Structures are given as C-alpha cells and as structure tokens.
C-alpha cells in the first residue's frame, strides 16, 4: 500500500551541543489541508503547518544524531522547492531548495548548534541576550539609572566592544559607522520588535531605543569617564 505521507527527519552534523529540559524545537513546513480518499490526491493548497518537539530532558546532541522526525501530507501541486523554517535556541533558520515528494523520507541535516551563523535572532533571543548583558544576576541594570534610562561610559578606543556585544545579541556581525550623526543600527524582528542605536556626534553619545523607547545611553566623550559606569561591566560578559 502506498503511503500518502512524507516523513521528515532532522539530523545534526557538526560539533556537539546541549539542549535543556523543556527546550522546544519548532519546524514550519508545507502541508496539505485535506486529502481526497476517493481520488487518492491531496489538496492543492500550499499551506504550512507547525510541528513542535519538546526535549523531555537535558541532553547532548552529537554529530550524526537524529533530533526528531515527523510526517506531512505534501500538497498535490506543491510549489517548487518550498521553504522550511526551523526554530531552536530561540533562533530561526530557513532552509530552501528542498524537494518534496509523496511517500518519501526526507532527511534534513546540517549544523543545528547555536554556533551556526545561519541562525538568525528572534525577538525572544534578543530579549534574553539584552537581559544577560545589560543586567546583573539579580536582574538589576549594570549601569547608572537616570530617569529610567541606563547610562554607561565607553572610551572611543574600546568602541569595538559595543560592536561585539551587539553581534552577540543579534547573532550576526555588527559594524557601526560613528561618523554618521543619525541612526547607525536598526533591526526589526518578529512581533514588530524594534531595536535601534542613534549616534550623536556632537556630544559623542549613543542612544539605544527598544520598541521606540529610550532605554540606554552610552557616552564615548571622555568628560563622562568618571560620571557613569564603564561599559566593560557589559562587554566583560563576552568572555
């Protein structure tokens, strides 16, 4: 008897990594809405479904390990090489050029560790990283709070520390142009989450806006070196 479903298996290739108990692996994939049993054909709708695999316990995933498997009904006229979206570590990745066939077994394999640069940040990942870098273990801000805004001093010679922190937060290489007297970094993520850095070349300051609210100020003007907490309390967490 010919199967009407297609099996999808996720397989890790690369260095070992760990997952925590309760961590979720989410996959979005093409799936037919209905199946016509009389004519033995799936619907032509190119809809997408979500599959979530929850790790029951913390574990190490080694090179060659299969993470999970699931099944889908491939639409009768599936679009050419539809995308599949993965979400793990609160990061997201889209895989393209996958051939979908009825009654087949598709193995998706690659580096599923957080170190893979193909992963992109989600708003949840960014929020977790901001909390890690800009707050202490008690959840209190690392800098000086003035009218609800957290202030730091960062010497111009160490300005690359900010680029490194932003690179870690957004899981990609970030370079800033400090010659521009305007916004020098802007990101819009899922759920309309926004993050922006505005440079003021006049007073030599950087303003961070999260969801259009002013949250952090970083001065690279030496006049503020003794006034605000040094940014090293943030950047030292990169080690």
């Amino acid at each position: 008897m010919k199967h009407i479903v297609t099996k999808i298996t996720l397989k890790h290739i690369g260095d070992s990594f760990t997952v925590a108990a309760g961590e979720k692996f989410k996959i979005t994939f093409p799936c037919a809405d209905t199946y016509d049993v009389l004519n033995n054909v799936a619907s032509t709708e190119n809809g997408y479904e979500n599959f979530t695999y929850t790790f029951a316990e913390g574990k190490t995933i080694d090179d060659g390990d299969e993470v999970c498997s699931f099944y889908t009904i491939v639409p009768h006229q599936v679009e050419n090489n539809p995308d599949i979206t993965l979400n793990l570590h609160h990061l997201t990745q889209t895989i393209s050029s996958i051939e979908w066939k009825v009654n087949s077994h598709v193995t998706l394999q690659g580096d599923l560790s957080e170190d893979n640069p193909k992963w992109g940040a989600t708003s949840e990942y960014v929020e977790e990283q901001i909390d890690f870098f800009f707050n202490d273990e008690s959840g209190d801000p690392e800098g000086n709070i003035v009218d609800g805004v957290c202030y730091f001093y960062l010497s111009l010679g160490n300005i690359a520390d900010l680029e490194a922190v932003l690179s870690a937060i957004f899981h990609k290489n970030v370079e800033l142009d400090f010659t521009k007297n305007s916004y020098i970094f802007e990101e819009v993520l899922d759920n309309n989450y926004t993050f922006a850095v505005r440079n003021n070349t006049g007073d030599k300051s950087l303003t961070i806006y999260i969801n259009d609210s002013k949250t952090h100020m970083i001065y690279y003007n030496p006049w503020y070196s003794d006034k605000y907490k040094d940014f090293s309390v943030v950047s030292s967490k990169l080690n």
Side-chain angles (χ1 to χ4, degrees):
M1 181 179 293
K2 183 178 179 180
H3 294 105
I4 67 172
V5 296
T6 293
K7 183 178 182 180
I8 311 296
T9 297
L10 277 297
K11 184 176 182 180
H12 170 62
I13 302 296
D15 294 337
S16 301
F17 68 96
T18 60
V19 292
E23 189 168 351
K24 299 181 185 298
F25 195 171
K26 301 176 182 178
I27 306 101
T28 302
F29 55 94
C31 183
D33 295 330
T34 59
Y35 191 86
D36 186 342
V37 179
L38 293 178
N39 295 304
N40 197 32
V41 64
S43 67
T44 59
E45 297 297 325
N46 289 319
Y48 281 78
E49 293 293 334
N50 298 310
F51 171 79
T52 299
Y53 178 83
T54 302
F55 294 94
E57 59 184 8
K59 62 182 297 185
T60 298
I61 298 178
D62 298 315
D63 181 34
D65 283 355
E66 291 186 1
V67 177
C68 62
S69 295
F70 60 97
Y71 295 87
T72 183
I73 300 177
V74 177
H76 178 58
Q77 294 180 336
V78 68
E79 62 188 49
N80 293 328
N81 301 326
D83 294 340
I84 183 171
T85 302
L86 311 179
N87 189 301
L88 182 64
H89 324 288
H90 300 312
L91 296 166
T92 186
Q93 179 181 165
T94 299
I95 302 175
S96 303
S97 301
I98 302 170
E99 185 177 6
W100 297 92
K101 291 183 178 180
V102 178
N103 189 28
S104 64
H105 183 187
V106 177
T107 298
L108 303 176
Q109 60 183 24
D111 186 358
L112 299 177
S113 72
E114 188 174 346
D115 293 334
N116 186 350
K118 291 182 179 180
W119 290 108
T122 63
S123 59
E124 189 173 10
Y125 181 86
V126 168
E127 288 178 329
E128 286 187 349
Q129 293 298 305
I130 290 173
D131 180 65
F132 169 74
F133 280 106
F134 286 96
N135 296 329
D136 61 22
E137 294 181 353
S138 300
D140 297 321
E142 292 281 15
N144 303 99
I145 300 299
V146 180
D147 296 330
V149 178
C150 190
Y151 284 73
F152 296 95
Y153 169 72
L154 175 61
S155 68
L156 191 58
N158 294 323
I159 209 72
D161 289 351
L162 175 60
E163 294 177 323
V165 168
L166 292 178
S167 295
I169 290 174
F170 288 92
H171 204 265
K172 66 177 184 180
N173 183 48
V174 174
E175 295 182 357
L176 305 175
D177 183 0
F178 292 91
T179 65
K180 294 173 59 178
N181 187 43
S182 62
Y183 287 97
I184 58 176
F185 183 76
E186 295 179 272
E187 284 287 318
V188 179
L189 302 176
D190 54 296
N191 299 318
N192 294 318
Y193 182 95
T194 62
F195 185 102
V197 180
R198 184 177 179 84
N199 185 36
N200 186 324
T201 57
D203 61 8
K204 298 182 180 179
S205 68
L206 300 160
T207 306
I208 294 177
Y209 296 91
I210 299 177
N211 294 329
D212 298 323
S213 295
K214 181 179 176 180
T215 59
H216 301 81
M217 285 284 295
I218 303 171
Y219 280 95
Y220 54 95
N221 186 334
W223 190 85
Y224 293 92
S225 60
D226 297 325
K227 187 174 180 62
Y228 298 126
K229 188 82 65 77
D230 193 275
F231 191 76
S232 60
V233 298
V234 174
S235 59
S236 62
K237 298 177 184 180
L238 288 165
N239 300 322

